[in-house]
Amino acid sequence: MSKIRRVLPMLVAAVAALTLACAAPPVERADLILTNALVRTMAEARPRAEAVAIAGGRILYVGDAREALRRRGGATRIVDLDGRMVLPAFQDSHVHLISGGVGLAQCDLTGLPTKAEVLARVRDYAASHRDAAWITGGGWDLPLFPQANPRKEDLDAVVPDRPVALDSADGHSSWVNSKALALAGITRDTVDPAGGRIERDPKTGVPSGTLRESAAGLVEKLVPDLGPEDYIKGLRAGQARANRLGITSIIEANADPDLLDAYAALDRGGELTLRVLASLHVDPDKGVSEVQRISGLRQKYAGQRLKATSAKIFVDGVMEPHTAALLAPYVDRPGDAGTPLLEPEAFDELARALDLAGFQIHVHAIGDRAIRMALDAFAAAGRANGFRDLRHHIAHLELIDPADIPRFARLGVAANFQPLWAYADSYITDLTLPILGPARSRWLYPIGSVARTGARIVGGSDWPVSSMNPLEAIQVAVTRRAPDAPPGEAWIPEERVDLETMLRAYTVNGAWLSHEETSRGTLEAGQAADLIVLDRDLFTIPAWEIGRVKVLWTLLEGRAVFRDPSFRD
Ligand SMILES: [Zn+2]
């Protein structure tokens, strides 16, 4: 072959490329261009960039500033971010957004460090709400009381005349006063309801003021119902907090029609500033008959930013009051390993029916037995129905038997951790380690082990159980230390994970869990412009400062849903 014949085609190609470049159609004009930014796209193809161009709520271009600025038109806003970090907006994959928001207006005991402060708050609240027939609210921490068992007498001393019912921070216990017990007719002779326990004085057998799980319902059913306006008010408060923390997508962890009506009302009015995937509450006692009922809800509540395509099943309770279902007995209660809220066969049958009906299944499982039951149920559903890509997930995952760790990746089940719980606070040291013993305690919140198997990790807050701030949770997953702790020894250091893994959990993996990874969750051309600006670069600060980084600006489909007053856009 002569030289010329080899060079010619190259020349032709070069000319063609040049012609193409000159003849390229004019690029679409951006509404907004962010420049001079540290963009982490969470996309494999181009993990970092310096500019983002946005039009019509979607990302037009991500890359270098010169190319982005070619999208500039007469009406384009240019925002110079001065080197600040940009990320896809966060997804909280397990949150009780409306009940949390409603709780903000009730007697809120969240984070109070002593019993005395809790009682003072209850007294003040009662005094400033003289018209309230009931004093309701919650957020008290279990470790403030011996055996996580607060007494009615303490409440009687501050509110003697009206009934009081206050949920624990984890929502699995209720603390009531004598008036509430009397109204509910709960006496020494009352038997524990199925799936619940009335705590009693060990000497007299008289109910002592704490009701676990379903027993709380004996009092709760007497509390006057909230109205639609209360739920909408709660939703507005909850979504404002979420947007402030950089969250634009959530999985509502336990939805009933009251909550769905509130979401739908704001969605119809174009006021919902979150994408909401609602997990529909399934009553385990009703079994497969629930599938038809919630299929109706799924159809009814399909909106713009709202969908209800997920089903929620509670398999057990929580660790501290021994209501989590374990594979082996609690150390301090020989023969008692906790009882699952439904039988394995009933669970398998329910999971199979939900899977067949196309529901994503969202399971609450804390103990190693409950987690194994969930994995078994998903495996059985897959064998019966074939693989249906529904992206089932298990939330909480407090104690996983090591034999079950590889099964998440194998079964395609997402691990929905609440990473803020993964450090040795008093829930762990005072109430959990003593009842599990050291060998099993090694496997508490094994985020690192699950991540190393290649399973998909997603993150949720469980707010109002704990703080909604994803950055605090990310920090704890990275450090395995308290969010306000200085650097030091990690709790079960093998289970730490890196920052990248956790950012993926709250962005791209969240979008995947919601079946929306092709429309959001990464910063790439064509994706929705759901993004946040942070005041510092998470990758260059010490890990113990991650939780203190501030979200300055939150965009949902290119529109600001939160702006920090210090940020001038
Ligand atoms: Zn929850």
Side-chain angles (χ1 to χ4, degrees), residues 25 85 146 356 532:
M85 186 177 202
L356 190 63
I532 54 175

Side-chain angles (χ1 to χ4, degrees), residues 22-38:
C22 298
V27 290
E28 191 183 338
R29 299 295 165 204
D31 308 325
L32 171 66
I33 298 175
L34 309 178
T35 62
N36 195 11
L38 284 174

Side-chain angles (χ1 to χ4, degrees), residues 94 96 253 312 364 396 462 465:
H94 185 105
H96 303 270
K312 174 68 177 294
H364 165 116
H396 307 326
D462 209 9
V465 173

Side-chain angles (χ1 to χ4, degrees), residues 143 318-322 326 328-333 366 398-399 421-445 480 489-492:
V318 288
M319 198 63 81
E320 301 85 355
H322 306 79
L326 303 184
Y330 290 98
V331 169
D332 61 332
R333 293 200 182 171
I366 295 265
E398 181 160 352
L399 178 69
W421 303 348
Y423 69 95
D425 64 355
S426 50
Y427 281 84
I428 298 284
T429 56
D430 301 354
L431 298 176
T432 303
L433 301 184
I435 66 176
L436 288 181
R440 276 187 290 181
S441 296
R442 155 69 185 87
W443 299 104
L444 286 164
Y445 305 116
R480 302 279 289 199
E489 200 188 328
W491 176 61
I492 322 181

Side-chain angles (χ1 to χ4, degrees), residues 371-531:
I371 292 163
R372 179 168 295 173
M373 279 173 61
L375 292 166
D376 288 348
F378 295 149
R383 280 194 302 274
N385 302 333
F387 178 68
R388 297 166 59 78
D389 195 23
L390 293 168
R391 306 178 187 181
H392 304 317
H393 55 119
I394 307 175
H396 307 326
L397 300 170
E398 181 160 352
L399 178 69
I400 310 182
D401 188 275
D404 289 323
I405 286 174
R407 298 179 70 200
F408 288 83
R410 230 184 280 148
L411 294 168
V413 171
N416 190 340
F417 281 105
Q418 283 58 64
L420 193 54
W421 303 348
Y423 69 95
D425 64 355
S426 50
Y427 281 84
I428 298 284
T429 56
D430 301 354
L431 298 176
T432 303
L433 301 184
I435 66 176
L436 288 181
R440 276 187 290 181
S441 296
R442 155 69 185 87
W443 299 104
L444 286 164
Y445 305 116
I447 309 177
S449 293
V450 177
R452 284 189 292 274
T453 64
R456 237 177 266 258
I457 306 286
V458 296
S461 66
D462 209 9
W463 186 74
V465 173
S466 40
S467 159
M468 205 201 291
N469 187 350
L471 291 171
E472 280 179 30
I474 289 170
Q475 175 186 322
V476 171
V478 172
T479 62
R480 302 279 289 199
R481 290 177 60 75
D484 53 358
E489 200 188 328
W491 176 61
I492 322 181
E494 303 87 327
E495 299 305 341
R496 283 176 298 183
V497 284
D498 63 15
L499 177 59
E500 177 79 22
T501 301
M502 289 317 296
L503 290 177
R504 293 183 70 78
Y506 283 89
T507 57
V508 60
N509 287 2
W512 175 87
L513 191 63
S514 294
H515 288 264
E516 291 171 359
E517 75 278 15
T518 57
S519 60
R520 66 170 179 91
T522 56
L523 301 180
E524 295 173 274
Q527 296 282 69
D530 297 3
L531 58 85

